[in-house]
Amino acid sequence: MTREEFNAFCKSLPHTTHVVQWGGADVWKVGGKVFAIAGWTRNETLGITFKTSEIGYEVLKEMPGLRPAPYLASRGMKWIQHHDVPGLGDADLCDHIKSSHRIVAKGLTKKMQRELDLYQDEAD
């Protein structure tokens, strides 16, 4: 996935905002909370970081090309970084980014979820 494809996909998700921070990283937020980050490249692999469920974290952290996200995971947060080959294919990356968006949106206050019309009617 290229940086342009990453940004286009994140932009397509509901109620997202984008900032460039932390040394030029593309940081995507929903309701003011980060759900995906893309930064440096290694071996032509774009570094993409996303939040995941506890089960997803346990599975993904063991896959080649993926790792617990530096800084975030060391603080007990369930974030994965796609950093090298083979990693995930584009379709799987998009699924995980979309899931991260949903996890972060569901963590917003109920008031904010209602204001943004995000996921409040869906079961967990």
Side-chain angles (χ1 to χ4, degrees):
M1 176 178 287
T2 66
R3 186 180 288 257
E4 292 77 21
E5 291 167 336
F6 168 82
N7 285 328
F9 180 75
C10 290
K11 184 178 182 178
S12 76
L13 297 172
H15 303 288
T16 59
T17 57
H18 172 256
V19 296
V20 176
Q21 59 189 78
W22 303 320
D26 288 297
V27 179
W28 285 89
K29 301 178 182 186
V30 58
K33 303 292 183 182
V34 176
F35 72 91
I37 305 165
W40 49 267
T41 59
R42 177 178 177 194
N43 298 333
E44 299 185 23
T45 300
L46 178 63
I48 296 176
T49 304
F50 53 88
K51 188 169 188 165
T52 188
S53 67
E54 287 190 35
I55 293 171
Y57 179 81
E58 293 303 319
V59 171
L60 294 172
K61 73 179 185 177
E62 302 298 329
M63 293 179 64
L66 304 179
R67 66 181 173 196
Y71 183 80
L72 297 167
S74 67
R75 282 151 180 76
M77 296 181 232
K78 304 301 181 200
W79 285 75
I80 292 291
Q81 186 174 75
H82 173 270
H83 70 98
D84 205 354
V85 293
L88 297 169
D90 290 356
D92 287 334
L93 260 176
C94 287
D95 287 345
H96 285 290
I97 293 167
K98 187 174 184 179
S99 178
S100 179
H101 178 273
R102 181 181 312 274
I103 291 167
V104 171
K106 285 183 161 255
L108 298 172
T109 65
K110 296 298 178 191
K111 180 181 177 187
M112 176 73 76
Q113 288 180 43
R114 280 191 303 275
E115 287 173 7
L116 298 177
D117 192 26
L118 286 171
Y119 309 117
Q120 71 270 8
D121 295 329
E122 294 181 15
D124 285 311

